[in-house]
Each structure stands twice: as structure tokens, then as C-alpha cells.
């Protein structure tokens, strides 16, 4: 074999096999759903009003009461809600939920960079981004669970607000995107190789 033939074989051997049409489209759908989950979670945490119990509105940042069913009187001092441990517990709940959004943003960035760069380590970036989404889902569920635990005596199914259910949906989407991202990565790049 000539030197030109050996060089041609080396170039062909270094080439990556072409991916099917479905793998990039599935990865794009995962990125789109992950973006939606980040937006839902961010809006839910910024609004923060998650529970309406009688004439009181409990949130991550405020505690509100209604007077004459007309106007809301909101307080930042959660100790005035007369719920034991609410002020310190809510600080933990909002910190964990906010940290979940930050972790998810970094995970989303890694997912997008892995698709744009497509270098030798793009599968590793995708795996780390998916793992960050798994961590974000755990943190987000932790924030929801701590909120519900703090207000367990006031919680009713009909009292939970739309923003609470948005955060719940975002947590579930974080988990689904993490699992599907790790699965698609294990199919296209087996861990043993």
C-alpha cells in the first residue's frame, strides 16, 4: 500500500460515523424540554405564592393575609404567620429550590455546548449536563417537600396554587430530561468504550 493510501485510511478511521436523523432531533427535544423546565421553575420561584389556606397566602418570600376579601396585606417577616419554624424552614426551602434552578441552568448550558461543539468530549459534556439535571430534580423536589412539611397542617389539594404545580411540573421535567439524556447518551456512546 502506498503512503497516500495509508494516510487516506487514517483520515477515514478518524472520521466519526454519521449519526442518524433521530439522535440529534431527540437531543434537541431534550434541550427544548429542559429549557421549558428552567423557565417554569424560575417563574414559580420568583412568584413564590404556593399555598392559599383560608384567608392566608403562604409563599416562599411573603406571607399574605386578606382583609374583607379585597386587598392583600403581605409581610416579609414570616414569623408573623404564627407557624412554628416557618421563617427558618422557608429560608431552606427557597434556597434549595433556587439552587435547583442554578444547577439546571448550568446543566442546560452543558447540553447546548455539547451539541454545538461536537468535539471528542461532547458526549462527556452531555453526560455531565444530564447529571446536573438529575441533581436539579432532587433539589427541586427537596424544596417542594420542605415547603409541604413546614405547612403540613394548612395544606389542602385545592389550596395549592398554580405556581406550586408549575414547580412540581418543572421538578418532574428535570427528572425526565436527566434520565432521557443519560439514556440517549448511553445508547450512542456506551460507557465501556
Amino acid at each position: 500500500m502506498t503512503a497516500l493510501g495509508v494516510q487516506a485510511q487514517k483520515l477515514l478511521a478518524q472520521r466519526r460515523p454519521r449519526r442518524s436523523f433521530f439522535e440529534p432531533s431527540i437531543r434537541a427535544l431534550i434541550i427544548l424540554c429542559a429549557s421549558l423546565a428552567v423557565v417554569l421553575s424560575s417563574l414559580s420561584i420568583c412568584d413564590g405564592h404556593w399555598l392559599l389556606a383560608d384567608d392566608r397566602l403562604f409563599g416562599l418570600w411573603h406571607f399574605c393575609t386578606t382583609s374583607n376579601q379585597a386587598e392583600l396585606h403581605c409581610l416579609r417577616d414570616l414569623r408573623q404567620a404564627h407557624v412554628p419554624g416557618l421563617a427558618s424552614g422557608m429560608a431552606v426551602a427557597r434556597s434549595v429550590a433556587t439552587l435547583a434552578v442554578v444547577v439546571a441552568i448550568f446543566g442546560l448550558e452543558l447540553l447546548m455546548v455539547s451539541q454545538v461543539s461536537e468535539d471528542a468530549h461532547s458526549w462527556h459534556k452531555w453526560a455531565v449536563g444530564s447529571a446536573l439535571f438529575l441533581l436539579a430534580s432532587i433539589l427541586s423536589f427537596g424544596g417542594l417537600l420542605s415547603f409541604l412539611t413546614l405547612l403540613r397542617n394548612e395544606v389542602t389539594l385545592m389550596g395549592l396554587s398554580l405556581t406550586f404545580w408549575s414547580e412540581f411540573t418543572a421538578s418532574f421535567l428535570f427528572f425526565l430530561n436527566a434520565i432521557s439524556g443519560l439514556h440517549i447518551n448511553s445508547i450512542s456512546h456506551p460507557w465501556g468504550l
Side-chain angles (χ1 to χ4, degrees):
M1 183 176 275
T2 65
L4 187 59
V6 170
Q7 286 180 348
Q9 276 188 335
K10 283 183 183 179
L11 285 176
L12 289 175
Q14 289 176 356
R15 248 182 164 180
R16 285 189 327 148
R18 289 198 166 263
R19 294 191 290 184
S20 69
F21 169 75
F22 293 108
E23 185 182 344
S25 58
I26 289 172
R27 288 179 187 263
L29 282 174
I30 290 171
I31 290 173
L32 181 67
C33 289
S35 304
L36 177 67
V38 168
V39 169
L40 275 176
S41 185
S42 299
L43 290 175
S44 175
I45 290 170
C46 287
D47 177 56
H49 295 125
W50 285 3
L51 177 67
L52 179 64
D54 298 328
D55 61 343
R56 300 183 299 174
L57 182 63
F58 294 97
L60 293 175
W61 309 99
H62 297 57
F63 163 72
C64 302
T65 57
T66 58
S67 59
N68 299 333
Q69 303 293 334
E71 64 181 65
L72 284 174
H73 179 63
C74 295
L75 303 169
R76 281 192 169 267
D77 187 11
L78 296 175
R79 288 175 290 199
Q80 295 188 11
H82 303 296
V83 175
L86 185 66
S88 58
M90 204 58 73
V92 171
R94 68 176 165 248
S95 298
V96 169
T98 305
L99 185 61
V101 173
V102 172
V103 168
I105 288 171
F106 282 119
L108 181 61
E109 181 182 354
L110 282 172
L111 293 182
M112 289 190 296
V113 165
S114 73
Q115 292 307 293
V116 172
S117 65
E118 290 197 22
D119 59 354
H121 299 289
S122 64
W123 67 273
H124 183 67
K125 291 175 190 170
W126 182 270
V128 172
S130 297
L132 285 176
F133 266 99
L134 190 59
L135 178 62
S137 73
I138 292 169
L139 289 171
S140 185
F141 276 122
L144 287 170
L145 188 62
S146 60
F147 180 85
L148 292 175
T149 303
L150 286 169
L151 297 168
R152 63 185 167 275
N153 296 330
E154 282 83 14
V155 171
T156 60
L157 192 59
M158 297 304 292
L160 295 171
S161 70
L162 184 61
T163 54
F164 174 86
W165 292 112
S166 295
E167 180 66 20
F168 180 81
T169 303
S171 302
F172 191 64
L173 283 174
F174 287 154
F175 178 73
L176 285 180
N177 287 319
I179 296 302
S180 58
L182 289 171
H183 181 67
I184 193 77
N185 211 36
S186 69
I187 290 173
S188 57
H189 298 282
W191 295 105
L193 297 178

